[in-house]
Amino acid sequence: METLWLRAAALRAGCPLVCVSSADGGTGRSTLTAALGGILALASPAPIVAVDATGRAWGGLGHRAPRGSSATVWDATLAAERLAEPAVAEPLMQVGATGLRALVGESKMTAQRRPPTWSEMFGVVGHLREVYALALLDLPAADNTPTWRALGWATVPVLVARASVDSLQHTMRLLAHLRAVRLTDVADGAVVVVMATSHTTAREVRAIEQLARQAAGHLVRVPYDPVLARPDPVDHRSVSKLTRSALIDIAAAVIDRCPVDLGQQAGSPPSS
């Protein structure tokens, strides 16, 4: 944990991009984005942002981040270039207990409001990188060209799988396809997160998980936790010790892949 805090405090300017996706749907990408972002926000002295880049009008970070205002990613799209100014970006953010800034998705489909297009979303992310120390993108499943493009741009790709044989096999196939289309660096640097769906795990799931561990750059299992299973904002104070340890492991793997300047003055980890 101390290493995580020191490296997070020494993040080099340039805003690393952490892209969270998966091989299939229903894996818990938004849950992980909020939970991981909360840990990273604790570790970093500079503000960190999580962005709902799913393009959906439902679900996503809107259910996983506390809501202090009605602002969404559509408001960020309307701000255009002014979004690169902290005074414009900050009022659009939902701020969690750990300090994570969350730009939630737009839930309306009207003539006045809608989820942004991919080109608009990429513009929003580009402007936010001028303001925040690290950006997490909650992406759709990797079954479309824009998501693959975002994974190719990622400083750290994070792939989420359910603790099931099918989901893990799909994740391994995704890694193989990434290598086949010359995105070897993405596959080799990927952090694979396995989200448990029950307190017990079948033997065959553990066996395929070991194979996935060999195919990925890093693999972490997040144990089943009722707090994460609820469609509510993530409360890090209520998750189990094992869940918190797993999230810290993932955060450490992410920060380890981000450029840092350990020669600069780094803050000490907070006392517990």
Side-chain angles (χ1 to χ4, degrees):
M1 185 184 292
E2 182 177 357
T3 301
L4 165 62
W5 252 256
L6 291 174
R7 288 184 66 86
L11 281 172
R12 191 176 301 166
C15 187
L17 192 61
V18 180
C19 291
V20 182
S21 185
S22 63
D24 42 21
T27 60
R29 294 185 305 270
S30 299
T31 300
L32 179 71
T33 301
L36 172 61
I39 295 293
L40 290 170
L42 277 175
S44 172
I48 286 175
V49 64
V51 181
D52 189 324
T54 61
R56 295 192 309 258
W58 59 85
L61 287 178
H63 293 303
R64 295 305 187 179
R67 299 297 296 268
S69 74
S70 61
T72 72
V73 69
W74 176 244
D75 297 290
T77 303
L78 295 177
E81 291 84 359
R82 295 184 299 113
L83 194 62
E85 304 171 16
V88 175
E90 280 287 283
L92 302 179
M93 300 297 159
Q94 315 298 329
V95 183
T98 66
L100 175 68
R101 274 67 167 171
L103 187 57
V104 301
E106 174 56 55
S107 61
K108 296 182 180 179
M109 296 286 287
T110 67
Q112 291 76 35
R113 303 187 70 86
R114 59 170 174 79
T117 64
W118 274 106
S119 60
E120 291 169 338
M121 179 61 70
F122 288 146
V124 166
V125 173
H127 295 315
L128 290 177
R129 295 181 77 182
E130 298 292 323
V131 179
Y132 297 99
L134 186 148
L136 298 95
L137 300 190
D138 179 16
L139 294 168
D143 56 4
N144 58 76
T145 299
T147 300
W148 280 63
R149 186 178 303 165
L151 288 173
W153 291 337
T155 310
V156 187
V158 177
L159 301 178
V160 188
R162 293 185 306 277
S164 69
V165 171
D166 283 350
S167 187
L168 285 165
Q169 287 178 336
H170 294 164
T171 301
M172 292 174 65
R173 288 171 185 157
L174 173 58
L175 291 169
H177 281 302
L178 287 168
R179 293 187 172 98
V181 297
R182 300 182 181 180
L183 291 175
T184 304
D185 290 344
V186 176
D188 290 346
V191 178
V192 174
V193 179
V194 181
M195 303 289 283
T197 56
S198 66
H199 291 292
T200 59
T201 304
R203 182 178 301 176
E204 57 268 25
V205 173
R206 292 188 179 276
I208 197 71
E209 186 178 298
Q210 289 302 315
L211 295 175
R213 192 181 301 275
Q214 297 170 17
H218 192 82
L219 186 145
V220 181
R221 167 190 283 272
V222 177
Y224 176 77
D225 194 308
V227 173
L228 297 184
R230 296 195 296 263
D232 298 320
V234 176
D235 185 351
H236 293 79
R237 298 166 297 181
S238 301
V239 299
S240 71
K241 183 177 180 180
L242 288 176
T243 299
R244 193 176 300 113
S245 295
L247 293 173
I248 290 172
D249 189 358
I250 300 166
V254 166
I255 290 295
D256 191 52
R257 287 159 169 75
C258 293
V260 297
D261 183 4
L262 295 178
Q264 71 182 28
Q265 184 68 30
S268 300
S271 58
S272 56

